[in-house]
Every structure is written in C-alpha cells, then in structure tokens.
Amino acid sequence: MPARRLPLAAWSAAVGFGAGILGAGGCVKAPPPAAGGLTPVSVQADWYAEAEQGGYYEALAKGYYRDGGLEVNFLNGGPGGFPLQKVAGGTADMALGRSDDVILAVSRAHLPIVIVCAYMEKDPMSVLVHAESPVRDFPDLAGRAVMADPTSAWITYLKAKYRMDFAIIPINYGLGNFLADRNYIVQGFATNEPYYIRQKGEASRTLLIANSGYNPYRVVYANTAFVRAHPAAVRAFVAATLRGWREYLAGDDAPAKKVIFARNEAMTEGFLAFSTGAMKDNGFVTGDPARGERLGLMTRRRMQEQVDLFVHLGVIPAAVPLDQFVSFDYLPPDLAAAD
C-alpha cells in the first residue's frame, strides 16, 4: 500500500525542526545556472512515478518546462522521500503534497514553505471496505476499527462531524490484513488499492474522504526563499504544469507514460490505465464544474475554510494567515483572480 505521507510528528522529530527554527524563510543557496541559461528546479515527488504525477511528466516529456526557461529535475518519492523536510531545508526547491499537510507544517513547526498551485481539486484519499461490507457511509464506521495513519486530521474531523468514535490501527502500508479479513477497513487511495485488491480476486468499495467535507487540495509547494529569488521560474513552472495536466488527461498521454515506465519499473499498463481512469471518472484533477471547479483552481475561500476547520477541531491552536502558507501570485491570471 502506498505510504504517501509520513506523520508530521515523526518527521519533525526525526529532522529536528521545531517552532521558529526555520521560521525566517530558510536558507537556500542560489543554484548554478543550467545549460543554455535555464533555471534549475528540483521537485520532490510524493511517490514513485505514477499516473497521479502524469501531468508533470507530460510537461517534462514535451519540453514545456524547457520552453519556460527551466531545467526541471523530478526526484522520485517513496517512504524515504521526506518532501516537507527537503523543501524546508532547501535540498529540494519544490514538492508535491496536500494543502492540509502544509497548513499543519507551517502552524506547528513554522516551516518556510508556501503553496504555489493546486493540481488536484479533490484528494483520492479514501476509506476502503470489502464490496459486501455493511459500511455504506461514514457514520457506519462507528464502533469499528480502521487501519490508518493515527495523526491524520481527517480522523478527528469524521469523529466530530458524525459524533461517533472508531478505533485506529496504525497503518502498515500492506494489504495482507484486508485481503484476509472481509470485515477489515483500511485507509488508501481510490486510484491505487482497488486495483491491487481486484488483482487478488477481491472486490472493494471506496468512501472518498473528500465527500465527507474534509477536502484538501493536492498542491505544489516551494521553499519560500526559492520563491522570492525566482518568481519568474515559479510562474513558468506552474503554467507548464497546468498545460501538461490538460494534455495528459485530454490529449495524447503517450509521452508521459514513457517517462513513468522509465522511472518506475514496477509500473504496468493495467495499473496506469486504472489510476488514470479513476482520476478522470472522479474529477480528481479537474474538479466538479457544477461547483465552479476547474483544473488548477485554488481559492482563498477554500483555503480559509481548511484553516478554520483545523482551529474548530483543535488541531491547531490558532488560525494561520493565508499569506504564511499559500500564494496566489504565480497562478495564471484567470485562476489568480478567483475568490
């Protein structure tokens, strides 16, 4: 099972980031110019190369980053990827992640990171159950046990919203327990685990956490010092990325697929097709047009709602001003003007 994020408490302790240590914006050495006068940009992925990064690899393969004056290097993620730490410490310029994780990192550890764009309107994080499970909706979790990351804020949210309690089994990022026990419930991704479960001859259902009202963006965030030093590069990266996603989902995705297969030897045609199909079917990247959502949209209202929710739940002690963790200055004009 994909281990897509390390609990905040664990990585904070591991690297020694505490309140105020990097609060001044971090220290980033100016990168040497790349060949041809291109600005080098290192991007830490949140997992190994896969469909959920398809738009980035589409832009890379088609040369959109180079057209924007950038030499982009994507660093493979995985259990040891540590994107928050790498960006905060300046060993990576940008990373892929979730808006809720960034809010928590800035609030709790004062990390010098800032969100510069959203690439998924809806997060694929889900609760997975067997097809025949009596759990049909979130209130049905009451009194049960869920294998999940114990530090996940969505757990606190679900318990508060539905006025219920359920036990947490610390996640081990494997599917063995789920496959062995038809009553087992586990945290996963709608774009991943259902495929592997089906390959084992089992059927599953997913309850999308986003459908409960806990709905963070998946985002690109950057080191604040890098953003200040290279605003044009950040703007060019965002523009090329959104173009790449548009073409990956609606055009010829063969260039991106070629890169993904080259970077991830475990990837298969079937898995890639399943994940891409799940993203399209659920509108993870493009969002719900009926709600005014579209590719790359990131609004102040929705970001503020996430902060307010965390304060209400007691996940953070006080509201974090938007300008401390997100900037709308690097979005295309039509997106930057959104409320």
Side-chain angles (χ1 to χ4, degrees), residues 82-204:
F82 304 120
L84 284 164
Q85 304 93 303
K86 288 182 178 178
V87 174
T91 57
D93 303 315
M94 299 182 180
L96 313 182
R98 298 192 338 182
S99 56
D100 58 341
D101 285 341
V102 174
I103 294 170
L104 293 176
V106 171
S107 173
R108 294 175 176 175
H110 300 273
L111 298 194
I113 56 179
V114 60
I115 296 169
V116 295
C117 78
Y119 69 94
M120 282 194 188
E121 294 292 292
K122 185 162 62 173
D123 184 57
M125 181 69 76
S126 304
V127 171
L128 283 85
V129 299
H130 283 267
E132 68 273 24
S133 171
V135 175
R136 312 299 300 186
D137 203 351
F138 294 108
D140 299 330
L141 294 175
R144 300 180 184 272
V146 180
M147 177 178 277
D149 171 5
T151 67
S152 294
W154 62 261
I155 295 173
T156 303
Y157 170 81
L158 290 182
K159 290 182 176 182
K161 177 175 180 177
Y162 298 107
R163 298 183 180 181
M164 64 175 177
D165 194 18
F166 52 87
I168 296 297
I169 303 169
I171 196 164
N172 64 7
Y173 302 107
L175 286 172
N177 297 93
F178 184 88
L179 294 171
D181 184 349
R182 292 185 177 276
N183 293 312
Y184 216 77
I185 305 170
V186 66
Q187 167 189 314
F189 281 74
T191 50
N192 284 257
E193 282 80 5
Y195 175 80
Y196 289 110
I197 292 169
R198 189 172 64 189
Q199 292 298 101
K200 295 295 184 178
E202 297 290 338
S204 63

Side-chain angles (χ1 to χ4, degrees), residues 7-325:
L8 182 66
W11 66 251
S12 182
V15 300
F17 286 159
I21 292 177
L22 291 173
C27 179
V28 178
K29 295 180 180 179
L38 302 174
T39 300
V41 180
S42 58
V43 183
Q44 178 62 59
D46 53 348
W47 197 245
Y48 304 110
E50 58 184 356
E52 289 91 328
Q53 302 155 8
Y56 299 98
Y57 292 124
E58 187 84 0
L60 187 68
K62 290 185 175 179
Y64 296 154
Y65 293 123
R66 293 185 68 87
D67 291 345
L70 310 177
E71 184 68 45
V72 176
N73 177 29
F74 282 95
L75 309 173
N76 258 354
F82 304 120
L84 284 164
Q85 304 93 303
K86 288 182 178 178
V87 174
T91 57
D93 303 315
M94 299 182 180
L96 313 182
R98 298 192 338 182
S99 56
D100 58 341
D101 285 341
V102 174
I103 294 170
L104 293 176
V106 171
S107 173
R108 294 175 176 175
H110 300 273
L111 298 194
I113 56 179
V114 60
I115 296 169
V116 295
C117 78
Y119 69 94
M120 282 194 188
E121 294 292 292
K122 185 162 62 173
D123 184 57
M125 181 69 76
S126 304
V127 171
L128 283 85
V129 299
H130 283 267
E132 68 273 24
S133 171
V135 175
R136 312 299 300 186
D137 203 351
F138 294 108
D140 299 330
L141 294 175
R144 300 180 184 272
V146 180
M147 177 178 277
D149 171 5
T151 67
S152 294
W154 62 261
I155 295 173
T156 303
Y157 170 81
L158 290 182
K159 290 182 176 182
K161 177 175 180 177
Y162 298 107
R163 298 183 180 181
M164 64 175 177
D165 194 18
F166 52 87
I168 296 297
I169 303 169
I171 196 164
N172 64 7
Y173 302 107
L175 286 172
N177 297 93
F178 184 88
L179 294 171
D181 184 349
R182 292 185 177 276
N183 293 312
Y184 216 77
I185 305 170
V186 66
Q187 167 189 314
F189 281 74
T191 50
N192 284 257
E193 282 80 5
Y195 175 80
Y196 289 110
I197 292 169
R198 189 172 64 189
Q199 292 298 101
K200 295 295 184 178
E202 297 290 338
S204 63
R205 289 184 288 104
T206 57
L207 303 179
L208 284 172
I209 302 297
N211 291 344
S212 73
Y214 186 87
N215 192 20
Y217 294 107
R218 293 200 78 86
V219 297
V220 177
Y221 57 93
N223 181 283
T224 54
F226 178 84
V227 170
R228 287 197 300 267
H230 303 282
V234 176
R235 194 168 287 109
F237 180 87
V238 171
T241 292
L242 295 181
R243 182 180 180 186
W245 271 113
R246 190 173 296 110
E247 296 185 12
Y248 179 75
L249 293 173
D252 178 14
D253 63 0
K257 290 169 65 176
K258 185 176 180 179
V259 177
I260 292 171
F261 286 128
R263 294 176 64 96
N264 185 355
E265 62 182 18
M267 183 58 62
T268 66
E269 287 279 0
F271 181 33
L272 194 62
F274 174 88
S275 298
T276 302
M279 287 194 296
K280 292 179 179 180
D281 293 344
N282 291 279
F284 289 136
V285 176
T286 55
D288 182 0
R291 299 176 59 180
E293 297 173 347
R294 61 189 188 277
L295 173 65
L297 182 65
M298 185 173 72
T299 69
R300 293 163 180 81
R301 174 189 54 78
R302 187 163 156 190
M303 285 293 189
Q304 187 63 55
E305 287 175 350
Q306 291 178 41
V307 172
D308 293 343
L309 175 62
F310 281 168
V311 174
H312 175 71
L313 293 174
V315 174
I316 58 178
V320 184
L322 294 189
D323 61 6
Q324 288 190 16
F325 70 87

